Structures are given as C-alpha cells and as structure tokens.
C-alpha cells in the first residue's frame, strides 16, 4: 500500500498498515557511549533468559558486529531480478542460526568477592576466557596509520515493511501492528521454532531459552502510547537517553515531519543493507570523516572512509546522499540557509519526536 499525492505514490506502507513508525539515526553524532544500549537493557531485557540479548546495540564499523558476522548469515528475500519479477523482492531466503559462540556467553563477574569479601582483585570475568561478545571489536576499525578509520553503528529491529521474520513464522506469531507498523511477537502463539531468527537478516530476533519463545525490540510501544508518568507520550528509551540526540522518531508517512523530508525529499537517510529486500524503517545518515593526510600531517584530497565500504552498507544511493549533504554544508559555510542542515542539527524535541501527529 502506498500513500498518494498529486504526483502519485510517495511512501510504500505494508498492506493493512495505516501508518508506519520510523527512526532516523545520524551516524555523524554517535560517540559510542552505549547509553542507548544500557537504557534498553535495563528497561526490557534484564535476566530471565535475556542475559545475552541486546535489542539495541552499538557496534564499531568496519567490524564483525553482534552477533559475530551477522551480515553473512543470510535471511531476507531474494531480489526481484533474481526472481524475474517486477515486484520489490522474490522468495524468502533461509538464513543461518547464530551459535551461542557468535553471541558470546554471558559473563560471570567476581562481584561477590570484591564488593562483599574485601578482595583487592580487579573486576573481571570468571571461568572460561570469553571469546566474543557485544562490542567485542570496539574501535578496531580498518585502514593503516595515519589514515585508519571507524565509526559507530547503533542497531535496533528495523520494523521492516516486508518483515521476513514474520513471513517465516508458520504460526503467524510475528505481526505488524495495524496502527503503526511495529513488528511484535505474540507470546501466546509463539512455539519457539526459531524460523523467525533464521529469517531476519539483521539478526534482531532473539530466542529466550528459558521461556522457549522469540523476543525482540518492541519500539518501546508502551512509552509511545503514553503508559508512563502523567500519561505522557515518550520516544523510545534508546532515543531519549542518547546524549548527542542522534535519533529522530516519527512516522514515515508524516509528510510534514523531518523523517519524511530526510528519506523521501532529500534522500539522505538510507536503509542498512537494502539488498536484503525487507524494506527497513530505521534509516541512517551516512558518516563523514576528515580527509586523509600524510605522515607529515599534510591533508590530501582523499576521503578517509572509503566510499565502496559505505556502498556495501547502504547501497549505491550513499554517493548521492553524501554529495547532497556536502552541498548543503557548503551552503551554510557561505552563510546561506539550508532546511536540510536545520533538520540534521535541530534540538527542538517537538521536531525530533513526532509521535502524536496521527492521533
């Protein structure tokens, strides 16, 4: 289903979905502090089989991510070209279940010894030495001195327009909410088959071994519905707790909102790995970095983050997006107005979070 205006279709929505909630993350603002991760972890996934779960995580790119090598495990849909179709995608692809080693085993620390027994040992994991975990390769990046590079990539469930996790479930336990397109797991219907875990190419569906159910990011829908102090509508905790406020939250089909403008008008907010063909509704402003320089400190006209790598992450559209942002940055340097730069630098919370516009 698509919204319509005088010029034709503008925003593709899933069949039966009235409006699609969405998020834009500006990677140029992320400092890798993990405040978003902690906010989500303490609110939704403490204990009870969720020890290894990070519905929101921040990983360093280039890097193997969390779970390890998630980008290579398959899932999603084949392309329309592969399927010889005119539609947006072909058949669903069965991916690989991440192993416990790919997630990393929950670590046990010597809290008791240090905090209650008076030991002067340092705080450290106990038992078998850990070999992987969330944010394991933090700040390693790639490239050679003096032009090594990295950036941070926050990730949540993308609440896709075509969620392959939902299509994979024979029980239809995963579904998109009609009112806002948030993808949820019906815990009563879930039987723990884990086809959804295999189906999600972003590996953002988790399996709770204690409950034998799948669990995932719920886009903090109780906060969005005002189930909190003073019945106030609040953005997801990962967004509101972010120190540099890098996330915009609202509806993709809100044509007066910044998300629509960044995605549809300026086309600078991009989907991560669009080749998975699930049509994510979490978008990213691609990262800039200072140009390369010589060992003598002389600046050379070569981009530090290679465009081919960014193209691997965000598709061919990344070139036009970076060029568009650079043109508008130059406009501001020359003292001219730029709505795009105003959208990317706003500190007005009424513009950052537009969650009541369709109520």
């Amino acid at each position: 289903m698509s919204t319509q205006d005088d010029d034709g279709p503008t925003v593709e929505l899933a069949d039966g979905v009235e409006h699609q909630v969405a998020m834009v993350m500006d990677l140029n603002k992320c400092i890798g502090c993990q405040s978003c991760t902690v906010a989500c972890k303490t609110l939704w996934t403490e204990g009870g089989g969720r020890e290894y779960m990070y519905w929101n995580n921040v990983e360093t790119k280039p890097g193997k991510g969390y779970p390890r090598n998630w980008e290579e495990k398959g899932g999603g849909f084949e392309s329309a070209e592969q399927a010889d179709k005119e539609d947006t995608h072909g058949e669903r692809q069965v991916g690989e279940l991440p192993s416990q080693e790919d997630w990393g085993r929950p670590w046990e620390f010597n809290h008791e010894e240090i905090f209650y027994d008076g030991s002067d040992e340092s705080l450290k994991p106990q038992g078998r030495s850990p070999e992987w975990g969330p944010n394991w390769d933090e700040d390693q990046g790639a490239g050679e001195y003096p032009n090594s590079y990295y950036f941070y990539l926050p990730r949540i469930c993308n609440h896709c327009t075509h969620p392959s996790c939902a299509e994979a479930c024979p029980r239809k336990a995963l579904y998109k909410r009609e009112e806002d397109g948030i993808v949820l797991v019906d815990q009563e219907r879930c039987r723990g088959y884990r086809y959804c875990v295999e189906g999600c190419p972003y590996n953002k569906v988790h399996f709770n071994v204690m409950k034998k159910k799948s669990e995932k990011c719920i886009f903090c829908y109780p906060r969005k519905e005002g189930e909190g102090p003073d019945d106030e509508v609040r953005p997801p905790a990962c967004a509101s707790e972010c120190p540099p406020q890098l996330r915009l939250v609202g509806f993709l089909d809100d044509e007066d909102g910044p998300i629509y403008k960044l995605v549809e008008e300026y086309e600078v907010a991009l989907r991560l790995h669009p080749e998975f063909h699930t049509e994510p509704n979490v978008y990213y402003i691609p990262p800039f970095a200072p140009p390369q320089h010589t060992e003598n400190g002389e600046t050379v006209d070569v981009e530090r983050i290679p465009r081919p790598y960014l193209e691997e992450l965000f598709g061919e559209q990344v070139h036009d997006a970076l060029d568009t942002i650079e043109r508008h940055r130059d406009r501001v340097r020359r003292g001219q107005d730029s709505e795009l730069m105003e959208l990317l630098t706003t500190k007005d919370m009424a513009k950052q979070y537009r969650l009541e516009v369709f109520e």
Side-chain angles (χ1 to χ4, degrees):
M1 185 176 74
S2 300
T3 60
Q4 301 280 331
D5 63 15
D6 294 340
D7 297 321
T10 56
V11 178
E12 183 186 13
L13 302 180
D15 289 341
V17 170
E18 296 174 356
H19 303 289
Q20 178 62 58
V21 72
M23 179 181 289
V24 170
M25 303 193 207
D26 188 346
L27 298 184
N28 298 286
K29 297 179 182 177
C30 186
I31 57 176
C33 67
Q34 305 286 354
S35 296
C36 51
T37 307
V38 173
C40 179
K41 187 70 179 169
T42 54
L43 187 58
W44 299 114
T45 63
E46 278 196 308
R50 304 185 180 108
E51 290 80 2
Y52 81 102
M53 293 185 195
Y54 289 88
W55 290 357
N56 178 105
N57 74 292
V58 180
E59 53 198 52
T60 298
K61 288 294 181 187
K64 295 180 179 178
Y66 188 75
R68 180 171 49 192
N69 295 323
W70 63 268
E71 292 159 296
E72 302 171 7
K73 295 187 182 300
F77 299 94
E78 65 179 353
S79 69
E81 291 77 15
Q82 287 173 310
D84 194 23
K85 296 172 58 179
E86 295 182 356
D87 296 330
T88 55
H89 63 75
E91 295 296 318
R92 182 175 63 82
Q93 304 292 293
V94 177
E96 174 186 343
L97 275 178
S99 67
Q100 185 64 66
E101 287 70 29
D102 291 331
W103 292 109
R105 297 184 181 280
W107 302 346
E108 295 292 336
F109 288 87
N110 50 338
H111 291 122
E112 182 81 16
E113 181 182 352
I114 292 175
F115 294 134
Y116 300 107
D117 297 341
S119 172
D120 57 0
E121 290 286 322
S122 60
L123 184 66
K124 56 186 178 184
Q126 302 296 289
R128 187 169 59 180
S129 296
E131 297 178 349
W132 194 256
N135 207 28
W136 183 267
D137 51 1
E138 180 182 18
D139 293 358
Q140 288 185 12
E144 301 293 333
Y145 175 84
N147 293 304
S148 54
Y149 65 92
Y150 63 80
F151 58 91
Y152 301 112
L153 181 72
R155 296 205 301 123
I156 64 172
C157 166
N158 293 300
H159 299 280
C160 302
T161 298
H162 304 300
S164 52
C165 59
E167 184 164 319
C169 179
R171 295 271 305 168
K172 303 300 181 188
L174 287 93
Y175 64 99
K176 285 180 72 68
R177 296 210 312 181
E178 179 181 330
E179 62 268 38
D180 54 21
I182 292 176
V183 177
L184 298 176
V185 182
D186 183 336
Q187 294 291 296
E188 296 298 319
R189 295 191 63 82
C190 180
R191 294 291 182 270
Y193 299 146
R194 291 183 283 182
Y195 296 131
C196 54
V197 182
E198 291 177 334
C200 175
Y202 300 94
N203 281 184
K204 275 301 178 186
V205 185
H206 301 76
F207 181 67
N208 189 317
V209 295
M210 294 181 66
K211 295 185 175 181
K212 307 297 182 188
K213 308 276 188 181
S214 291
E215 298 179 355
K216 61 180 291 302
C217 161
I218 59 174
F219 212 86
C220 281
Y221 76 80
R223 293 170 60 95
K224 175 180 167 295
E225 294 176 349
E227 293 183 12
D230 305 322
D231 297 328
E232 185 177 343
V233 172
R234 299 173 186 272
C238 59
S240 63
E241 296 303 311
C242 173
Q245 289 291 285
L246 64 91
R247 306 184 190 217
L248 302 171
V249 183
F251 289 93
L252 180 62
D253 48 323
D254 170 13
E255 297 189 8
D256 295 322
I259 289 179
Y260 178 86
K261 291 177 181 292
L262 293 170
V263 173
E264 299 292 337
E265 290 187 10
Y266 290 103
E267 299 183 327
V268 297
L270 309 177
R271 285 166 163 152
L272 178 64
H273 286 299
E275 73 274 15
F276 294 157
H277 303 292
T278 60
E279 307 290 321
N281 288 300
V282 172
Y283 298 83
Y284 295 91
I285 304 298
F288 279 90
Q292 293 190 17
H293 55 264
T294 67
E295 292 192 12
N296 296 326
E298 297 172 339
T299 300
V300 293
D301 188 20
V302 178
E303 291 178 316
R304 181 173 298 260
I305 304 176
R307 287 277 183 108
Y309 178 66
L310 294 177
E311 187 176 333
E312 286 179 20
L313 292 179
F314 302 110
E316 294 180 355
Q317 195 179 346
V318 74
H319 299 284
D320 289 341
L322 289 170
D323 293 344
T324 298
I325 295 173
E326 181 55 37
R327 283 198 303 274
H328 281 262
R329 291 172 70 181
D330 189 55
R331 286 170 59 93
V332 173
R333 291 191 198 101
R334 290 185 278 110
Q336 299 177 1
D337 294 333
S338 166
E339 182 191 44
L340 172 57
M341 298 313 296
E342 289 177 3
L343 292 170
L344 293 177
T345 58
T346 184
K347 295 182 179 178
D348 183 347
M349 293 184 64
K351 294 181 179 177
Q352 286 180 274
Y353 309 128
R354 285 171 58 91
L355 289 167
E356 297 173 292
V357 64
F358 288 123
E359 290 186 356

